[in-house]
């Protein structure tokens, strides 16, 4: 539906991300249908949208640190594989990871740890690596509070305060209804990203390719893609979600609502 309302010349891409369950030999895998079959079925039904094959890259590197131990998200090394796959689909060259400034935060205990509620599992705490392709960008975000739009600034990477443990919100400062990233690329290109939280770790890599990046989370975005296409000259629409969103009725409803 979204592809059908885009102005002529706008390219659309869909990247569906499998979870670590798909690549484990543990009994938990038997509780999940094949994520690959689901992704393939969705991709086969696309019309006017380019599928992004992230699955194969993650499968080939499943023994590496591409997923957190204590959280359901991918690490930024995993997100880099997604970025490489997107660049291949676009016919562009990715920025090599070795050329980026790298740092990390230790002691991350994520969603799975909190759900398990077993303090002894603290010994499995993760490191959050993060990579900076550049530093000259500004992130403007919007939220709605009591019917009023609130404007604020955030960062590509939001580090924890001294003494605090890092969270997945290190990437993009968490989920914002709407954010606009202005970079110093100066190529006039604009991307619209429709996403869930998996995309947060991948978006920083895209700052090397666009002058403007618009980011919307359909779960709480208060506008429409139609309106954004009228306000901005968008070149690419990129949908980045983990595969479970295809099974969430409220997420599907939200996607429909923002058209």
């Amino acid at each position: 539906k979204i592809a059908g309302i885009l102005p002529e010349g706008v390219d659309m891409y869909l990247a569906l991300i499998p979870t670590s369950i798909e690549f484990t030999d543990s009994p938990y895998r038997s509780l999940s249908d094949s994520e690959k079959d689901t992704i393939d079925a969705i991709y086969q039904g696309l019309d006017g949208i380019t599928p992004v094959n992230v699955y194969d890259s993650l499968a080939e590197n499943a023994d590496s640190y591409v997923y957190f131990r204590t959280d359901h998200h991918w690490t930024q090394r995993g997100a880099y594989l997604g970025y490489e796959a997107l660049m291949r689909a676009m016919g562009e060259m990715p920025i090599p990871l070795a050329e980026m400034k790298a740092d990390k935060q230790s002691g991350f205990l994520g969603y799975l740890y909190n759900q398990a509620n077993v303090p002894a599992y603290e010994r499995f705490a993760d490191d959050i690596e993060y990579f900076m392709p550049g530093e000259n960008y500004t992130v403007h975000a919007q939220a709605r509070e009591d019917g009023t739009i609130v404007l604020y600034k955030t960062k590509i990477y939001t580090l924890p305060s001294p003494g605090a443990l890092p969270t997945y919100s290190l990437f993009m400062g968490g989920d914002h209804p709407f954010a606009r990233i202005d970079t110093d690329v100066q190529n006039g290109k604009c991307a619209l990203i429709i996403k869930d939280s998996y995309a947060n770790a991948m978006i920083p890599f895209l700052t090397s390719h666009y002058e403007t990046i618009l980011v919307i989370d359909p779960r709480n975005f208060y506008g429409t893609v139609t309106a954004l296409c009228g306000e901005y000259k968008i070149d690419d629409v990129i949908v980045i979600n983990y595969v479970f969103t295809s099974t969430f009725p409220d997420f599907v409803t939200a996607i429909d609502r923002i058209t």
Side-chain angles (χ1 to χ4, degrees):
K1 184 176 180 181
I2 291 174
I5 58 94
L6 295 178
E8 185 176 354
V10 178
D11 295 319
M12 186 168 179
Y13 301 86
L14 172 62
L16 284 174
I17 318 303
T19 71
S20 59
I21 293 174
E22 185 75 356
F23 307 115
T24 180
D25 292 328
S26 77
Y28 296 112
R29 186 171 184 181
S30 66
L31 302 176
S32 174
D33 292 332
S34 168
E35 295 181 16
K36 185 178 190 306
D37 288 350
T38 300
I39 292 170
D40 288 347
I42 293 172
Y43 282 180
Q44 289 169 9
L46 299 180
D47 183 14
I49 303 171
T50 300
V52 179
N53 181 10
V54 184
Y55 187 99
D56 286 350
S57 296
L58 288 169
E60 292 168 4
N61 293 275
D63 292 335
S64 302
Y65 197 34
V66 293
Y67 291 98
F68 291 113
R69 292 184 295 270
T70 68
D71 194 72
H72 63 298
H73 293 101
W74 55 3
T75 66
Q76 200 170 35
R77 287 189 179 272
Y80 182 81
L81 296 177
Y83 159 67
E84 285 186 311
L86 177 61
M87 291 297 102
R88 285 195 297 270
M90 291 181 164
E92 297 189 18
M93 293 295 296
I95 307 299
L97 201 61
E99 293 183 5
M100 302 181 196
K101 181 181 177 182
D103 207 337
K104 71 177 182 179
Q105 293 281 321
S106 299
F108 172 46
L109 296 169
Y111 175 80
L112 298 179
Y113 168 82
N114 292 325
Q115 291 297 302
N117 195 26
V118 180
Y121 288 172
E122 287 186 14
R123 68 184 186 275
F124 298 119
D126 287 286
D127 291 332
I128 299 186
E129 292 182 288
Y130 56 101
F131 302 87
M132 289 163 280
E135 298 182 0
N136 296 319
Y137 33 65
T138 305
V139 186
H140 304 273
Q142 296 181 10
R144 182 175 294 230
E145 296 181 3
D146 298 325
T148 302
I149 295 178
V150 179
L151 307 178
Y152 54 98
K153 286 187 177 182
T154 185
K155 298 179 179 180
I156 291 286
Y157 297 114
T158 303
L159 303 183
S161 57
L165 294 178
T167 69
Y168 188 75
S169 292
L170 182 147
F171 301 112
M172 289 290 295
D175 295 316
H176 310 283
F178 174 82
R180 190 188 79 240
I181 305 170
D182 298 322
T183 77
D184 63 354
V185 173
Q186 296 183 354
N187 62 3
K189 294 186 65 176
C190 177
L192 169 61
I193 299 175
I194 303 171
K195 62 92 186 179
D196 68 2
S197 55
Y198 257 67
N200 295 358
M202 184 171 155
I203 289 171
F205 300 127
L206 299 179
T207 59
S208 296
H209 300 270
Y210 295 95
E211 185 170 334
T212 305
I213 300 176
L214 311 174
V215 183
I216 61 176
D217 188 325
R219 293 168 293 187
N220 46 27
F221 178 58
Y222 41 84
T224 65
V225 172
T226 300
L228 288 176
C229 287
E231 184 176 354
Y232 295 90
K233 187 182 182 304
I234 295 171
D235 297 278
D236 299 316
V237 174
I238 310 166
V239 183
I240 307 171
N241 292 317
Y242 88 132
V243 67
F244 278 17
T245 58
S246 66
T247 72
F248 298 155
D250 56 342
F251 198 91
V252 176
T253 298
I255 288 284
D256 184 63
R257 174 177 49 79
I258 67 169
T259 306

